[in-house]
Amino acid sequence: MNSPASNRRLVILMYPRVRELDVAGVTDVFSTANALLPEDRRYQIQHVSTQKEPALDGMYGLGMRSGPHYSTVKSKVDTLIIPGGMGNELTEPPAPLLTWMQKHAKTSRRVGSVCTGAWLLAQAGLLDGKRATTHWAYAKQLATTFPKVKVDPDPIWVKDGSIYSSAGATSGIDLSLALVEEDHGRKLALEVARMLVVFLCRPGNQAQFSVSLQEQTSEDRPLRDLQVWMLEHLTNDPSVPALAAKAAMSERNFQRVFTREMGKSPAHYVEEIRIEAVRRKLERSTQGMEEIARACGFGSADVMGRCFMRQLKTTPAEYRARFRSSGIRATA
């Protein structure tokens, strides 16, 4: 392993129709870190390509300079990042590329993927027997195509040994911030996040989906409006009679429509959105447990704790201790 004080060579693989944000997000995090680091601790960032032409078009048509062909990389790579892109989960990558990835995976300190970049890792056999994630929309397909991979569709990023994988495009930023924290500590990672105006350094085990996003999928407009209202009024009466009256529906019809649209009862949904609000406060504030419980609609910290344990299999205190950091310690 390289000394934390030495330059670290970061190689980002590019290919036609690579997702632009996957490349830009990772590049921006490490480049911003470089601007804050002394010269002898900066990353050596290199973009390489699967084609020999010096430029390529991204997934949404943005033209990008792609750097030299990957085969020109002969010396040791510290960190290899594979971005995602349209269609790469359906294509058969050339054997020399997979061999190149396998070779560098053996000598690199770590290898990571963003979004569907996990397909290339899996095709190279680098995810066999390992826990990994990808964008939720492709997780089932990844698991079916590569049964040796332990696909977890929930987290925004996953670390298994020296292999890292992340979910949708912006989660590549979260993963990159975690890698910066691993190398240089929490303080620098937070400063990079501030420079990029990233609201929070999200821990890897954050769920890809939030209840507050899922609620917007309802096609019933009155119900969708009610769900937004519920998010903004966590301490209000959450009983079926009260919610049905708010939605101007009969109690029986409200219970039936809500359960059909959301796939869960109103009581279950209320508990989920309240626990999600608790999680945000644990991650982003120093408020005490009783104060958080009251703000999120729970009668007491004890009641909140029991609900939290039932949903997340951990206590609020343990969650806060773990997730106010990315969960990766700096080696510096």
Side-chain angles (χ1 to χ4, degrees):
M1 181 181 297
N2 292 349
S3 164
S6 66
N7 284 326
R8 287 181 162 139
R9 190 179 189 193
L10 171 72
V11 173
I12 302 170
L13 180 70
M14 298 175 66
Y15 49 88
R17 303 181 82 191
V18 67
R19 186 163 190 169
E20 295 91 338
L21 184 55
D22 288 11
V23 175
V26 173
T27 303
D28 215 340
V29 169
F30 286 98
S31 296
T32 303
N34 278 350
L36 300 170
L37 286 167
E39 187 174 354
D40 64 344
R41 293 168 63 86
R42 293 173 185 165
Y43 297 94
Q44 298 175 344
I45 304 171
Q46 181 179 12
H47 298 84
V48 300
S49 176
T50 59
Q51 60 181 34
K52 295 185 178 180
E53 293 77 10
L56 54 77
D57 288 334
M59 177 173 165
Y60 294 114
L62 182 65
M64 297 181 288
R65 293 194 63 82
S66 53
H69 192 260
Y70 68 85
S71 63
T72 63
V73 178
K74 305 294 185 182
S75 57
K76 184 176 179 180
V77 174
D78 179 75
T79 301
L80 175 62
I81 299 293
I82 312 296
M86 184 179 293
N88 73 356
E89 74 279 5
L90 302 176
T91 59
E92 190 68 33
L97 173 62
L98 299 182
T99 300
W100 178 84
M101 291 173 59
Q102 293 161 354
K103 171 189 172 183
H104 283 286
K106 291 178 181 178
T107 58
S108 298
R109 183 163 59 98
R110 58 196 179 194
V111 177
S113 65
V114 182
C115 197
T116 56
W119 251 263
L120 284 173
L121 295 187
Q123 286 166 318
L126 301 180
L127 297 183
D128 287 356
K130 292 188 177 293
R131 179 169 169 257
T133 195
T134 189
H135 190 287
W136 60 267
Y138 299 99
K140 184 176 181 180
Q141 185 180 357
L142 180 65
T144 301
T145 307
F146 303 99
K148 293 182 180 180
V149 182
K150 302 172 184 176
V151 179
D152 188 340
D154 293 327
I156 58 172
W157 59 265
V158 166
K159 175 185 179 182
D160 191 335
S162 63
I163 303 295
Y164 301 69
S165 54
S166 59
T170 61
S171 66
I173 295 175
D174 297 292
L175 175 59
S176 298
L177 286 169
L179 297 179
V180 169
E181 179 178 345
E182 181 180 71
D183 295 340
H184 300 287
R186 176 80 172 160
K187 183 178 179 181
L188 181 69
L190 286 173
E191 186 60 26
V192 172
R194 292 189 190 101
M195 292 290 288
L196 297 179
V197 200
V198 176
F199 186 68
L200 177 71
C201 291
R202 294 185 295 175
N205 279 4
Q206 276 264 27
Q208 290 190 41
F209 266 131
S210 70
V211 179
S212 54
L213 282 178
Q214 287 175 301
E215 56 85 11
Q216 296 175 35
T217 62
S218 173
E219 295 182 2
D220 187 286
R221 179 58 185 270
L223 191 60
R224 188 166 65 244
D225 290 345
L226 174 66
Q227 290 162 342
V228 173
W229 180 87
M230 291 165 70
L231 289 167
E232 297 172 348
H233 299 83
L234 294 172
T235 60
N236 282 54
D237 180 5
S239 66
V240 167
L243 294 176
K246 183 70 179 176
M249 300 167 69
S250 70
E251 293 179 24
R252 182 178 180 181
N253 189 45
F254 171 76
Q255 181 90 30
R256 178 182 61 81
V257 172
F258 192 101
T259 303
R260 182 194 67 209
E261 289 285 315
M262 299 303 297
K264 64 194 71 172
S265 69
H268 189 183
Y269 178 79
V270 168
E271 182 174 296
E272 284 190 345
I273 62 174
R274 285 177 169 176
I275 289 299
E276 182 173 73
V278 170
R279 287 171 52 192
R280 289 197 299 269
K281 288 184 178 294
L282 291 172
E283 294 163 359
R284 306 173 188 181
S285 80
T286 58
Q287 291 177 314
M289 296 301 173
E290 288 291 347
E291 186 179 1
I292 291 176
R294 290 193 300 271
C296 297
F298 292 99
S300 68
D302 287 341
V303 173
M304 178 183 77
R306 289 195 294 273
C307 293
F308 202 92
M309 176 63 77
R310 181 165 57 247
Q311 284 198 30
L312 301 179
K313 312 304 180 187
T314 189
T315 68
E318 290 170 342
Y319 183 91
R320 169 174 271 174
R322 182 177 182 185
F323 286 162
R324 276 184 65 81
S325 168
S326 71
I328 297 182
R329 292 184 177 183
T331 58

